[in-house]
Amino acid sequence: MNRSAQLGNRASTVLGRRLGSELLRLRDAAGKTQQQAATVISATNSKIVKMERGWVPMRDPDVRVLCEFYGLEDSKAVGRLLELARLDRERRKAKGWWQHSPQAGALAEYIAMEDMASQVRTWQMSLIPGLFQTAEYARSLAVSDAVWEDPDEIERIVEVRMKRQARLHGDRPLQVYAVVWEAALRQLIGGQEVMRAQLDRVLEVAQLPNVRLQVLPFRAGGHPCVAGPFNIISFAEAEAVDVVHVDTIASTVWVENEAESDVYSTYFDRTARLSLAQHDSAVLIDSLRKGM
């Protein structure tokens, strides 16, 4: 990969890439060239390249003109793209605390998206959701990760994870819908004492009016989400679209295609329907806590 491409990748954002891919799809469907698109908005060919790769923020007039040029007449679809452009501009201008925290690392983009979101739906198989974790639980996870060895660095990582939880409170609390496999509640991260306190914390958070927690019990058997955990991030605006965050061992994957993100939503809903009701989930968590 050449240096300019590397710089471009670092400058791109999840929302910018999604908007750019939508415009690229429309241009291809309309049979237009990058040069023609550049001419219609009085720009250079390189600007169209940057827009379609999500490297630069996009102005509403440019988005409107390109949509018209590409023959997109559906006002709702145009509005959705304009909303993407607005959210992306806000994301790029954001001055959140995570930008000054090197420990946020690859999670910085996710934290930025979470900060803008109105709702997060999270499916977890082996870990308690980060927004529900105690400091001791988070510390135990960091200690068990071979990447982190410096105790001071581990403490800074724990601090980042705890700061995220501010979104559960305040004037615009994040709506969180969590579905957690029973295995995550039984895994003794940090030992019995740490895990007992963690389950106490889960029960406490589950009482918040903006939190919905369901447990998928072992007895539910097979389920649609066996492939692994993920987070679906939603925004308050009517025309906004969901994005999906998937963490793997080696990398972070963002699902930015609308059709693919809809698949994750469908799988999440199906798994939620197999899960215990909120009250029954709390009863199971309490019984596990008492048994430790």
Side-chain angles (χ1 to χ4, degrees), residues 4 13 19 21 56 70-71 79 81 87 107 124 145 149 199 231 241 273 287:
S4 61
T13 64
L19 176 56
S21 67
V56 293
Y70 297 154
L81 296 181
L87 287 169
L107 195 60
Q124 296 295 327
D145 191 331
E149 296 180 354
L199 294 182
N231 302 295
V241 292
R273 286 196 292 272
S287 68

Side-chain angles (χ1 to χ4, degrees), residues 136-179:
E136 292 77 12
Y137 182 95
R139 185 176 296 110
S140 297
L141 287 176
V143 168
S144 65
D145 191 331
V147 174
W148 313 112
E149 296 180 354
D150 182 354
D152 291 336
E153 189 171 26
I154 288 174
E155 289 308 308
R156 289 191 291 270
I157 292 167
V158 172
E159 182 182 1
V160 167
R161 295 186 180 181
M162 295 303 101
K163 281 186 176 180
R164 284 177 54 204
Q165 298 179 7
R167 278 303 326 269
L168 293 176
H169 310 282
D171 296 333
R172 55 179 193 98
L174 182 67
Q175 302 293 315
V176 180
Y177 187 176
V179 178

Side-chain angles (χ1 to χ4, degrees), residues 24-166:
L24 173 59
R25 180 183 60 79
L26 289 171
R27 181 173 64 77
D28 283 345
K32 306 296 185 181
T33 66
Q34 288 180 336
Q35 186 57 57
Q36 289 173 320
T39 299
V40 81
I41 63 170
S42 302
T44 62
N45 191 70
S46 65
K47 181 175 179 179
I48 296 298
V49 172
K50 292 175 182 177
M51 291 172 67
E52 291 181 348
R53 295 183 182 181
W55 293 356
V56 293
M58 300 188 205
R59 299 167 56 248
D60 285 356
D62 289 343
V63 175
R64 287 194 181 95
V65 169
L66 288 174
C67 285
E68 182 179 356
F69 183 57
Y70 297 154
L72 182 63
E73 298 178 351
D74 185 340
S75 60
K76 185 175 181 180
V78 174
R80 181 172 60 82
L81 296 181
L82 290 170
E83 187 57 33
L84 262 177
R86 186 188 70 78
L87 287 169
D88 183 50
R89 291 194 300 269
E90 289 188 4
R91 159 68 186 92
R92 293 173 191 268
K93 292 187 296 184
K95 301 297 181 183
W97 57 266
W98 58 88
Q99 292 179 315
H100 308 290
S101 177
Q103 282 66 39
L107 195 60
E109 179 75 3
Y110 177 81
I111 296 173
M113 299 289 283
E114 188 178 76
D115 189 65
M116 295 172 59
S118 61
Q119 182 191 60
V120 170
R121 286 169 287 167
T122 181
W123 156 246
Q124 296 295 327
M125 296 183 69
S126 58
L127 299 176
I128 301 298
L131 288 169
F132 301 170
Q133 292 177 9
T134 64
E136 292 77 12
Y137 182 95
R139 185 176 296 110
S140 297
L141 287 176
V143 168
S144 65
D145 191 331
V147 174
W148 313 112
E149 296 180 354
D150 182 354
D152 291 336
E153 189 171 26
I154 288 174
E155 289 308 308
R156 289 191 291 270
I157 292 167
V158 172
E159 182 182 1
V160 167
R161 295 186 180 181
M162 295 303 101
K163 281 186 176 180
R164 284 177 54 204
Q165 298 179 7

Side-chain angles (χ1 to χ4, degrees), residues 191-201 289-290 292:
Q192 286 189 320
E193 185 176 343
V194 169
M195 202 62 203
R196 188 182 301 112
Q198 177 60 73
L199 294 182
D200 276 335
R201 171 64 175 164
R289 179 187 64 84
K290 290 177 178 177
M292 290 184 179

